[in-house]
Amino acid sequence: MKGVVFNLLEEAVLREFGPETWEDLLDDADVSGAYTSLGNYSDDEIVALVEAAAAKLGMTNGEVLRWFGERAMPLLRERYPALFANHSSARSFILSVNNIIHPEVRKLYSGASCPFFHFRESGRTVTMGYESSRKMCDLAHGFVKGAATIFCEEVDIVHHTCMNQGADKCVMEMQWAN
Amino acid sequence: MGQLMNTDPVSDPIAELNLKILKLERRLQRERTARLQAEAIAEKGLSDLYEKQRQLELLKAIATKANQSASVDDALRFAVEAICGHTGWQIGNVYMLAGDDAQCLLSTPIWHADDPDRLTEFVAMTQRMKFERGHGLPGRVLDTGAAVRICDVTQDPDFQRGDAAKACDLHAAFAFPVLVGDEVLAVMEFFSRSSLEPDEPLLAVMGQIGTHLGRVMERKRAEDKLIYDASHDPLTGLPNRLLFTDRLDRAVGAHKRRPELGFAVLFIDLDRFKLVNDSLGHAAGDALLIEIAGRLSAVLAQAEKAEGCGVLPTLARLGGDEFTILLEELTSGSTAIEIAERLQAALRRPLTIEGQDVYTSASIGIASSDAGYSSAAEIMRDADLAMYRAKSEGRARIEVFDQSLHKAAMRRLSLESDLRGALRKQEFVLYYQPIVALDGGDIVGFEALVRWRRGSEQLVPPAEFIALAEETGLIVFIGNWVMREAFATLAAWQTAHPRSVPLTMSVNVSPRQFRQPDFVEQVIAAVKESGARPDTIRLEITEGVTIQDADQAIGILQQLRAFGVRVSIDDFGTGYSSLSYLHQLPFDTLKIDRSFVNALQEKSDGNRIIQTILDLAKNLKMDVVAEGAETEHHVDQLRKMGCRFAQGYYFSRPVDYAAATALLRQP
């Protein structure tokens, strides 16, 4: 996992719960805590941090990831405004992930293994297929929610199948209000 | 706060710790800020590096393709696609210069679109476009030689495809030149849906791509020129022998596959071209060839366009004054002859070269696919043979090859081979024809004439082998032998039959023999060896020999006369010699051609011509010998007109040594 993800998580935790909480999480998860955005760190560390946060906040791992995804989106916009500049809706922003966002990510972090999302559009609904050994569909869920918030939209997300539930891939349906 | 101010910070450990924590937090914040800045700088560097690397890869891919491409189109097509792929631009296409004047760009079929179905309208419109220098996006690139960028083509008044662009949701445009030096050879144009930010590094890469592609085009141009030069005649710009033979080879092959479509080869030889070249100079000769090439081309262009029976012609210049034409897709056997006639008609009008009217004509030999040729060489050989026949049958003729010509050629080949052995085998013999004084009928001398006793008993007349001997150069040896033999005979006769005015001996000198650098020495040696008196020797030279280089001819004639031998101008009136320099040439005797003498009985014109020649000779103080006196009437007429000497069947046909000696013994 890229260091930038740890940085975002740290930022989100700092803003909402303060530095002590982050220090506690690092201790609980037994991780080094020294992350630079350009570095590459073991996926286990993010998993450990998520688990520590879940334990500390009384949430499930999935809930922590959704929370993180949602909070991370405005932080991403602060950090990479250009990625948002050409979009007037969350939907077009989300649909640009494979073709624009991830290629940009690869520019910065060579060798980044970004997941590929399968999109199917139908009216106000976008169905998103996700397949990754990291099984972080909840993070994607949070990102979508966060993006909707940025563009002042409301979106409902239903998980039809989920790798965390034993499915071989995740299928989420996003439905926009209005 | 007031309390805090009063408290001694040093003495209060808690306050001291708080202060320390505050400082540490500030330091942490600074470190954090510095780290984020460092990360941002590193990210920017990585991002730029990544872009740079991709641009280099693009450039490398295009450069590699440019070096390997078989064609310019291939390289350009690859580049357009690669650039679209690299930049994400939706569509790219290439314009090339129309014609050589570099004033106008035409769209080419070289284009790429990431989603052609959505861009159909724009592609179709672009394909029809033509841009003058300075107008429209490509025209501006052509004019300035620099890249041009348009933020939104739908808002640009100079952009002619605005509506189509709008319909296809294209906005930003970018175009750059394919350059060789400062010369724009092509323009590449790209469009994007989203806006294009000015990107200096990318602009530089496009510039380099333009240069690479320019090199490909330049290389192709140089290649094309090399191939063109190797396959064309530099003087007339016509295909040369190499290209002609290649096309003929293909025609032979095509005829085998489709026998219903015939082809023919025309061999054209300009009559009298050498005369123009020799008399007016090489520059005039070149001008004549260019003019003739133009006339022949015009006739062929017409034949190509002809309704219903359009042929596919290839006109080539093989060298010198030899032109060849390949006519393909012939549906009728007579078409080639009709075209040959039109070609001759086109040459009939005089050509003006350096202010002078020059008349020329062409001898044309034709060989056609009807004979079932299996190689270009065969058909060329036969067309050549037919042309030679046309020439020898009297110029300005058309001759179609048939098998008799082939047999004649074979005969000629065997003749040549035998002729080479004839000298060694001593097969040549001399015959002598007396020259008679018309006043009194005495024999004053003989003309020595060579005959060839070929094989056992066949006596070959000179008409059948002299031309071949001249062509092969054997004439030099034969001529030398003739001189020595004739002079020896003369010396013997002079001894055996002494007279107050000694007998003379006339010997014909061939053009080639005359041009030998040591010709004068050869004559002197032959005369000295024989013991005959030089002033009894007459060397007969045709007019044509002297015309090629009059100054040189005068020099040789003067040397001969200085030695003492006399020179005659042979066959007078049949060549092209100009009266203007006849008086400059130091001839002693003028021989009236037999054709004028033969005409004596038919019409009075003959008389007038002979009278004129006699008057001319008298004024130039030259003796005259009339040839071909066959009847008493001839002899009477000649005598009446004041001609003093004649030879011909009336007196005696050429006879061998023994018979000639017998004639001398007669009273």
Side-chain angles (χ1 to χ4, degrees):
Chain A
M1 186 62 79
K2 288 292 159 194
V4 68
V5 177
F6 291 87
N7 292 159
L8 288 168
L9 181 60
E10 177 184 358
E11 191 69 27
V13 170
L14 287 182
R15 287 198 187 181
E16 190 141 339
F17 304 105
E20 280 74 20
T21 307
W22 180 246
E23 292 300 321
D24 291 347
L25 289 182
L26 293 178
D27 287 343
D28 293 353
D30 192 21
V31 292
S32 75
Y35 305 113
T36 169
S37 67
L38 298 165
N40 210 5
Y41 306 94
S42 165
D43 282 0
D44 294 344
E45 293 195 24
I46 199 88
V47 171
L49 281 166
V50 169
E51 280 172 352
K56 193 172 181 70
L57 300 171
M59 294 158 81
T60 65
N61 288 355
E63 282 164 342
V64 170
L65 282 172
R66 288 183 194 188
W67 169 86
F68 170 45
E70 224 175 318
R71 296 298 188 281
M73 200 47 76
L75 301 176
L76 277 168
R77 185 162 70 158
E78 285 170 31
R79 210 166 170 135
Y80 308 107
L83 291 180
F84 294 79
N86 287 323
H87 299 283
S88 56
S89 72
R91 182 168 166 158
S92 81
F93 173 78
I94 290 163
L95 290 175
S96 76
V97 66
N98 290 322
N99 297 329
I100 296 174
I101 299 174
H102 284 167
E104 288 296 323
V105 170
R106 288 192 195 95
K107 272 191 208 177
L108 294 181
Y109 314 115
S110 74
S113 49
C114 304
F116 185 83
F117 296 95
H118 297 271
F119 292 107
R120 204 174 63 239
E121 294 181 80
S122 164
R124 269 190 240 137
T125 308
V126 174
T127 311
M128 181 169 87
Y130 164 82
E131 216 175 321
S132 164
S133 59
R134 289 176 183 144
K135 300 183 187 175
M136 290 193 177
C137 57
D138 288 306
L139 182 58
H141 180 122
F143 280 147
V144 172
K145 278 282 186 191
T149 308
I150 281 179
F151 291 98
C152 303
E153 294 168 5
E154 267 183 53
V155 62
D156 280 331
I157 302 171
V158 181
H159 291 240
H160 289 304
T161 64
C162 184
M163 296 176 83
N164 293 311
Q165 314 278 309
D168 55 359
K169 63 173 180 176
C170 301
V171 175
M172 281 173 266
E173 193 179 282
M174 302 173 263
Q175 186 163 22
W176 270 264
N178 311 319
Chain B
M1 286 300 272
Q3 271 187 331
L4 268 176
M5 291 292 284
N6 292 336
T7 314
D8 182 1
V10 181
S11 62
D12 184 347
I14 299 199
E16 191 181 348
L17 275 175
N18 278 339
L19 195 63
K20 223 171 198 164
I21 288 169
L22 206 64
K23 281 184 176 168
L24 280 171
E25 278 181 349
R26 274 167 55 194
R27 181 189 286 178
L28 187 65
Q29 193 55 44
R30 281 199 308 276
E31 287 298 327
R32 187 181 171 75
T33 308
R35 194 199 89 211
L36 288 175
Q37 280 174 358
E39 284 174 352
I41 291 167
E43 281 181 6
K44 169 93 171 61
L46 282 172
S47 180
D48 288 352
L49 190 66
Y50 178 85
E51 273 302 329
K52 187 94 204 152
Q53 212 139 17
R54 281 192 66 225
Q55 286 168 359
L56 282 176
E57 276 163 21
L58 172 71
L59 193 62
K60 192 176 148 204
I62 290 175
T64 305
K65 184 75 181 177
N67 282 325
Q68 293 168 349
S69 281
S71 74
V72 170
D73 285 11
D74 264 6
L76 289 170
R77 188 167 285 117
F78 179 85
V80 169
E81 203 174 322
I83 291 170
C84 283
H86 174 88
T87 56
W89 296 339
Q90 270 68 41
I91 180 167
N93 57 285
V94 177
Y95 296 90
M96 295 235 205
L97 290 175
D100 293 333
D101 62 348
Q103 291 307 309
C104 177
L105 285 166
L106 276 181
S107 197
T108 66
I110 304 169
W111 58 273
H112 173 83
D114 65 347
D115 186 359
D117 293 343
R118 278 182 70 188
L119 298 164
T120 316
E121 191 181 338
F122 191 77
V123 169
M125 182 154 190
T126 298
Q127 282 294 295
R128 292 193 300 270
M129 294 306 283
K130 177 182 176 183
F131 293 95
E132 300 294 328
R133 178 184 282 272
H135 298 284
L137 176 59
R140 273 150 64 190
V141 175
L142 173 62
D143 196 37
T144 58
V148 172
R149 193 172 63 89
I150 300 174
C151 287
D152 191 347
V153 293
T154 61
Q155 308 295 319
D156 190 313
D158 184 48
F159 191 81
Q160 298 157 14
R161 292 161 283 168
D163 290 344
K166 203 169 193 171
C168 297
D169 191 27
L170 294 172
H171 296 278
F174 177 77
F176 66 92
V178 174
L179 287 169
V180 171
D182 293 333
E183 193 187 349
V184 177
L185 297 185
V187 171
M188 303 185 96
E189 177 194 62
F190 297 89
F191 296 90
S192 167
R193 296 223 160 84
S194 49
S195 65
L196 288 179
E197 297 308 317
D199 183 343
E200 283 304 324
L202 185 63
L203 206 67
V205 171
M206 295 298 159
Q208 288 178 42
I209 290 172
T211 308
H212 271 297
L213 295 171
R215 280 189 203 127
V216 178
M217 293 185 79
E218 176 69 0
R219 198 175 61 208
K220 186 76 177 71
R221 269 208 311 206
E223 248 175 52
D224 288 349
K225 187 168 166 4
L226 274 180
I227 290 169
Y228 184 89
D229 287 351
S231 58
H232 287 78
D233 164 41
L235 179 66
T236 58
L238 294 175
N240 63 11
R241 184 185 296 273
L242 187 74
L243 182 53
F244 186 82
T245 313
D246 183 54
R247 296 223 178 131
L248 184 54
D249 273 333
R250 277 190 235 176
V252 172
H255 181 64
K256 278 182 197 154
R257 289 190 298 276
R258 296 185 61 196
E260 71 278 11
L261 286 182
F263 66 93
V265 170
L266 275 61
F267 241 86
I268 302 176
D269 190 87
L270 299 177
D271 305 323
R272 294 192 293 184
F273 169 73
K274 204 166 159 38
L275 185 74
V276 173
N277 223 20
D278 290 341
S279 55
L280 296 180
H282 287 291
D286 286 354
L288 181 70
L289 288 172
I290 292 169
E291 181 73 25
I292 284 170
R295 288 205 183 169
L296 298 178
S297 300
V299 171
L300 294 174
Q302 238 171 9
E304 194 174 5
K305 279 185 286 183
E307 269 317 295
C309 60
V311 296
L312 191 64
T314 300
L315 170 64
R317 179 177 169 234
L318 299 196
D321 58 341
E322 262 187 359
F323 291 89
T324 47
I325 296 169
L326 168 63
L327 298 173
E328 289 176 88
E329 302 191 0
L330 292 177
T331 45
S332 152
S334 61
T335 312
I337 296 173
E338 285 161 27
I339 290 175
E341 282 167 352
R342 271 181 266 158
L343 293 168
Q344 285 190 327
L347 296 184
R348 216 160 281 147
R349 281 175 291 123
L351 298 119
T352 309
I353 301 296
E354 294 181 353
Q356 292 200 39
D357 276 356
V358 175
Y359 290 84
T360 184
S361 58
S363 298
I364 303 181
I366 303 176
S368 88
S369 54
D370 300 343
Y373 291 101
S374 59
S375 79
E378 280 175 27
I379 190 167
M380 291 280 270
R381 178 200 66 201
D382 287 354
D384 195 19
L385 278 174
M387 186 274 288
Y388 265 101
R389 162 73 71 87
K391 218 174 173 65
S392 62
E393 296 278 299
R395 296 165 193 271
R397 288 174 60 93
I398 297 168
E399 199 72 37
V400 180
F401 178 81
D402 61 30
Q403 277 308 312
S404 70
L405 276 178
H406 183 65
K407 288 192 190 108
M410 295 308 289
R411 262 206 311 278
R412 207 179 103 107
L413 207 62
S414 107
L415 189 72
E416 184 183 327
S417 147
D418 286 355
L419 193 59
R420 289 185 186 281
L423 263 179
R424 186 170 35 79
K425 293 191 218 156
Q426 300 187 328
E427 289 181 339
F428 293 111
V429 287
L430 285 184
Y431 271 49
Y432 303 93
Q433 184 170 44
I435 296 170
V436 176
L438 294 179
D439 181 15
D442 285 345
I443 294 175
V444 296
F446 287 89
E447 178 176 354
L449 297 158
V450 67
R451 298 287 185 271
W452 175 18
R453 204 175 290 285
R454 187 186 183 193
S456 50
E457 278 310 303
Q458 188 194 0
L459 199 61
V460 187
E464 285 180 32
F465 70 89
I466 290 295
L468 183 62
E470 177 78 23
E471 207 175 294
T472 53
L474 288 169
I475 197 74
V476 174
F477 303 100
I478 298 173
N480 226 331
W481 176 84
V482 168
M483 283 200 295
R484 295 216 303 276
E485 186 75 10
F487 299 167
T489 302
L490 177 66
W493 281 340
Q494 282 171 348
T495 311
H497 308 278
R499 293 158 174 242
S500 54
V501 180
L503 272 181
T504 63
M505 182 64 77
S506 299
V507 171
N508 291 288
V509 175
S510 90
R512 194 139 176 177
Q513 202 183 352
F514 187 79
R515 285 198 298 273
Q516 291 297 303
D518 61 346
F519 175 62
V520 175
E521 285 77 11
Q522 285 180 18
V523 173
I524 292 173
V527 174
K528 283 188 173 164
E529 190 184 303
S530 70
R533 280 172 53 176
D535 63 354
T536 58
I537 305 249
R538 308 272 182 274
L539 296 179
E540 298 196 356
I541 293 156
T542 53
E543 301 172 82
V545 173
T546 56
I547 205 169
Q548 288 166 11
D549 188 342
D551 290 341
Q552 197 200 9
I554 291 168
I556 291 170
L557 295 180
Q558 279 170 345
Q559 287 179 58
L560 290 170
R561 292 180 83 204
F563 171 62
V565 302
R566 305 291 159 83
V567 283
S568 309
I569 182 162
D570 204 3
D571 304 337
F572 185 76
T574 57
Y576 317 104
S577 65
S578 144
L579 292 178
S580 72
Y581 67 76
L582 180 63
H583 76 274
Q584 296 175 25
L585 292 166
F587 284 112
D588 302 283
T589 306
L590 194 155
K591 293 192 82 170
I592 300 177
D593 189 67
R594 64 177 63 247
S595 59
F596 300 115
V597 177
N598 287 344
L600 269 176
Q601 59 197 50
E602 290 158 24
K603 42 191 177 184
S604 56
D605 282 1
N607 302 20
R608 276 194 224 133
I609 290 173
I610 290 178
Q611 191 63 64
T612 309
I613 296 174
L614 286 169
D615 293 346
L616 179 75
K618 196 175 167 189
N619 289 334
L620 294 174
K621 301 193 169 52
M622 291 160 80
D623 279 338
V624 174
V625 177
E627 292 182 290
E630 291 180 1
T631 64
E632 194 168 356
H633 174 73
H634 290 163
V635 175
D636 285 346
Q637 290 281 313
L638 288 167
R639 192 184 290 119
K640 267 186 212 156
M641 283 189 272
C643 180
R644 291 178 60 211
F645 306 101
Q647 63 187 93
Y649 285 9
Y650 176 73
F651 302 109
S652 167
R653 44 180 71 232
V655 292
D656 64 13
Y657 174 77
T661 309
L663 285 175
L664 279 175
R665 286 201 198 100
Q666 283 172 9

mmCIF file of all heavy atoms in Angstrom, chain B residues 32-45:
data_model
loop_
_atom_site.group_PDB
_atom_site.id
_atom_site.type_symbol
_atom_site.label_atom_id
_atom_site.label_comp_id
_atom_site.label_asym_id
_atom_site.label_seq_id
_atom_site.Cartn_x
_atom_site.Cartn_y
_atom_site.Cartn_z
ATOM 1 N N ARG B 32 6.817 18.374 9.791
ATOM 2 C CA ARG B 32 5.707 17.835 9.007
ATOM 3 C C ARG B 32 5.509 18.651 7.724
ATOM 4 O O ARG B 32 5.390 18.078 6.624
ATOM 5 C CB ARG B 32 4.444 17.902 9.877
ATOM 6 C CG ARG B 32 3.264 17.235 9.294
ATOM 7 C CD ARG B 32 2.079 17.410 10.250
ATOM 8 N NE ARG B 32 0.892 16.942 9.602
ATOM 9 C CZ ARG B 32 0.616 15.645 9.444
ATOM 10 N NH1 ARG B 32 1.449 14.736 9.926
ATOM 11 N NH2 ARG B 32 -0.461 15.276 8.805
ATOM 12 N N THR B 33 5.534 19.992 7.901
ATOM 13 C CA THR B 33 5.380 20.869 6.744
ATOM 14 C C THR B 33 6.517 20.623 5.745
ATOM 15 O O THR B 33 6.304 20.514 4.531
ATOM 16 C CB THR B 33 5.389 22.337 7.192
ATOM 17 O OG1 THR B 33 4.422 22.494 8.224
ATOM 18 C CG2 THR B 33 5.054 23.268 6.029
ATOM 19 N N ALA B 34 7.742 20.528 6.323
ATOM 20 C CA ALA B 34 8.906 20.298 5.447
ATOM 21 C C ALA B 34 8.753 18.979 4.706
ATOM 22 O O ALA B 34 9.037 18.872 3.514
ATOM 23 C CB ALA B 34 10.194 20.294 6.262
ATOM 24 N N ARG B 35 8.233 17.953 5.428
ATOM 25 C CA ARG B 35 8.075 16.642 4.794
ATOM 26 C C ARG B 35 7.068 16.721 3.661
ATOM 27 O O ARG B 35 7.304 16.220 2.568
ATOM 28 C CB ARG B 35 7.611 15.605 5.821
ATOM 29 C CG ARG B 35 7.751 14.188 5.324
ATOM 30 C CD ARG B 35 6.893 13.217 6.110
ATOM 31 N NE ARG B 35 5.577 13.104 5.542
ATOM 32 C CZ ARG B 35 4.464 12.857 6.237
ATOM 33 N NH1 ARG B 35 4.517 12.736 7.542
ATOM 34 N NH2 ARG B 35 3.305 12.761 5.627
ATOM 35 N N LEU B 36 5.954 17.411 3.921
ATOM 36 C CA LEU B 36 4.927 17.531 2.881
ATOM 37 C C LEU B 36 5.468 18.288 1.668
ATOM 38 O O LEU B 36 5.213 17.917 0.526
ATOM 39 C CB LEU B 36 3.687 18.238 3.431
ATOM 40 C CG LEU B 36 2.852 17.394 4.410
ATOM 41 C CD1 LEU B 36 1.711 18.231 4.993
ATOM 42 C CD2 LEU B 36 2.295 16.149 3.721
ATOM 43 N N GLN B 37 6.270 19.338 1.979
ATOM 44 C CA GLN B 37 6.859 20.089 0.864
ATOM 45 C C GLN B 37 7.812 19.198 0.069
ATOM 46 O O GLN B 37 7.800 19.188 -1.166
ATOM 47 C CB GLN B 37 7.621 21.311 1.377
ATOM 48 C CG GLN B 37 6.706 22.470 1.707
ATOM 49 C CD GLN B 37 7.460 23.643 2.347
ATOM 50 O OE1 GLN B 37 8.676 23.560 2.567
ATOM 51 N NE2 GLN B 37 6.730 24.706 2.625
ATOM 52 N N ALA B 38 8.621 18.448 0.813
ATOM 53 C CA ALA B 38 9.580 17.565 0.140
ATOM 54 C C ALA B 38 8.836 16.550 -0.714
ATOM 55 O O ALA B 38 9.229 16.255 -1.855
ATOM 56 C CB ALA B 38 10.460 16.852 1.166
ATOM 57 N N GLU B 39 7.734 16.039 -0.136
ATOM 58 C CA GLU B 39 6.953 15.061 -0.897
ATOM 59 C C GLU B 39 6.350 15.697 -2.146
ATOM 60 O O GLU B 39 6.363 15.102 -3.225
ATOM 61 C CB GLU B 39 5.845 14.485 -0.015
ATOM 62 C CG GLU B 39 6.362 13.465 0.988
ATOM 63 C CD GLU B 39 5.293 12.990 1.959
ATOM 64 O OE1 GLU B 39 4.170 13.566 1.948
ATOM 65 O OE2 GLU B 39 5.579 12.052 2.711
ATOM 66 N N ALA B 40 5.862 16.933 -1.981
ATOM 67 C CA ALA B 40 5.266 17.615 -3.135
ATOM 68 C C ALA B 40 6.312 17.833 -4.225
ATOM 69 O O ALA B 40 6.058 17.619 -5.412
ATOM 70 C CB ALA B 40 4.656 18.948 -2.699
ATOM 71 N N ILE B 41 7.515 18.259 -3.774
ATOM 72 C CA ILE B 41 8.589 18.484 -4.758
ATOM 73 C C ILE B 41 8.943 17.170 -5.455
ATOM 74 O O ILE B 41 9.068 17.090 -6.676
ATOM 75 C CB ILE B 41 9.835 19.084 -4.065
ATOM 76 C CG1 ILE B 41 9.526 20.525 -3.610
ATOM 77 C CG2 ILE B 41 11.039 19.052 -5.000
ATOM 78 C CD1 ILE B 41 10.560 21.094 -2.647
ATOM 79 N N ALA B 42 9.051 16.134 -4.633
ATOM 80 C CA ALA B 42 9.407 14.829 -5.197
ATOM 81 C C ALA B 42 8.319 14.339 -6.149
ATOM 82 O O ALA B 42 8.604 13.802 -7.222
ATOM 83 C CB ALA B 42 9.622 13.819 -4.075
ATOM 84 N N GLU B 43 7.066 14.561 -5.733
ATOM 85 C CA GLU B 43 5.961 14.134 -6.595
ATOM 86 C C GLU B 43 5.993 14.861 -7.932
ATOM 87 O O GLU B 43 5.826 14.274 -8.976
ATOM 88 C CB GLU B 43 4.617 14.382 -5.898
ATOM 89 C CG GLU B 43 4.303 13.323 -4.864
ATOM 90 C CD GLU B 43 2.952 13.554 -4.187
ATOM 91 O OE1 GLU B 43 2.232 14.477 -4.624
ATOM 92 O OE2 GLU B 43 2.644 12.802 -3.249
ATOM 93 N N LYS B 44 6.249 16.178 -7.848
ATOM 94 C CA LYS B 44 6.317 16.972 -9.083
ATOM 95 C C LYS B 44 7.457 16.445 -9.958
ATOM 96 O O LYS B 44 7.298 16.245 -11.174
ATOM 97 C CB LYS B 44 6.541 18.441 -8.709
ATOM 98 C CG LYS B 44 6.893 19.369 -9.847
ATOM 99 C CD LYS B 44 5.631 20.021 -10.412
ATOM 100 C CE LYS B 44 5.924 21.123 -11.423
ATOM 101 N NZ LYS B 44 6.642 20.686 -12.590
ATOM 102 N N GLY B 45 8.599 16.193 -9.302
ATOM 103 C CA GLY B 45 9.755 15.675 -10.052
ATOM 104 C C GLY B 45 9.439 14.344 -10.699
ATOM 105 O O GLY B 45 9.735 14.114 -11.866
#
